Amino acid sequence: MDITIRPELNTEYNSTEEMIKEAFLNEEFSDKREHLLVNRIRKSDAFIPELSLVALNQDNKVISHILLSKIKIVDGDNAVDSLALAPVSVTPEYQKKGIGSQLIHVALKKAKDLGYRSVIVLGHKDYYPKFGFKPASLWNIQAPFEVPDEVFMALELTHHSLEKVQGVVHYSKAFLE
C-alpha cells in the first residue's frame, strides 16, 4: 500500500476529525467520541504537534491518524513524564491493510527521537504486544480507573526506562471531559 506518513497540518484538523468519526462508527468498544478527544487534546498542554501524525493515500486524502500526548506516572511526590497512545484511527476502507501498524511504528520512533522514554496504551491485548507493549502492571503502573490488566500496557522506548517507575497514570484533563 503506497501511503505517505507525516505530521498533521492544522488545516487538516476538521477532515481528520471526520475521518476519525468514520473510523470508529462500527467499532464495538467505541463511545463514538474519539474525534472529540482528539479535538480536546489538540487544545491542551498535553498536545505535541510532532506526534500527531496522518497517513495519506495516493490522492493526498487523510486515511489514518495517530496521536501521542503527554501524561505523567505519579507515585506520591514522584512524577515521571510519559506518553499516551490514543487514539489510532484508520478509515474503514483502509483497515486491515497494515496502515495502522505503519503509523504506530513511525510514531513510536519519532517519540523516541524526540527524547520520550515510554508510552502507555489502553488497547487490544492481542494487537499492541506486537509493538513491544507489555502489561503496565509488570512495572507496577496502574490505570486511574478500573480496567482489565491485559489491556492496560506500557512500552519502554529506551532500555530500562521504566525500571524505577511505578504509580498511577495521570492523563491530561482532555481525557476526562
Side-chain angles (χ1 to χ4, degrees):
M1 171 101 351
D2 191 23
I3 61 168
T4 303
I5 295 175
R6 62 160 171 73
E8 179 187 33
L9 305 175
N10 57 5
T11 56
E12 295 168 323
Y13 287 179
N14 289 338
S15 60
T16 298
E17 288 175 31
E18 284 303 312
M19 184 279 303
I20 294 168
K21 196 185 306 185
E22 184 183 335
F24 285 96
L25 207 53
N26 298 312
E27 290 299 316
E28 180 182 354
F29 298 107
S30 167
D31 65 1
K32 315 296 184 240
R33 299 170 54 84
E34 290 82 2
H35 63 292
L36 299 175
L37 172 61
V38 168
N39 182 287
R40 289 192 306 270
I41 292 171
R42 283 196 202 106
K43 295 173 182 172
S44 77
D45 58 2
F47 183 56
I48 307 162
E50 301 89 343
L51 296 178
S52 180
L53 304 176
V54 292
L56 308 172
N57 67 8
Q58 300 87 332
D59 299 325
N60 285 323
K61 180 182 177 210
V62 174
I63 58 167
S64 187
H65 175 259
I66 188 170
L67 187 59
L68 294 170
S69 59
K70 296 176 198 173
I71 59 170
K72 292 198 179 289
I73 303 168
V74 179
D75 182 27
D77 291 337
N78 298 323
V80 175
D81 292 330
S82 187
L83 296 171
L85 189 166
V88 179
S89 314
V90 181
T91 194
E93 67 185 280
Y94 287 94
Q95 290 176 1
K96 307 216 182 312
K97 297 182 184 207
I99 295 168
S101 291
Q102 288 181 56
L103 209 51
I104 291 169
H105 283 296
V106 171
L108 294 176
K109 182 184 182 321
K110 195 164 187 85
K112 182 178 181 176
D113 291 348
L114 289 171
Y116 292 97
R117 299 170 44 92
S118 64
V119 179
I120 303 293
V121 69
L122 174 61
H124 199 283
K125 66 181 177 63
D126 296 326
Y127 183 70
Y128 287 96
K130 71 182 180 182
F131 303 101
F133 284 91
K134 297 175 183 167
S137 60
L138 293 173
W139 294 279
N140 200 19
I141 296 171
Q142 297 101 36
F145 40 75
E146 279 296 312
V147 60
D149 188 54
E150 67 272 8
V151 300
F152 191 70
M153 295 171 264
L155 170 70
E156 294 178 310
L157 292 175
T158 56
H159 202 52
H160 298 300
S161 61
L162 291 174
E163 196 171 86
K164 294 183 170 134
V165 176
Q166 65 176 13
V168 177
V169 170
H170 285 232
Y171 290 95
S172 77
K173 290 178 185 165
F175 280 88
L176 309 174
E177 293 175 16

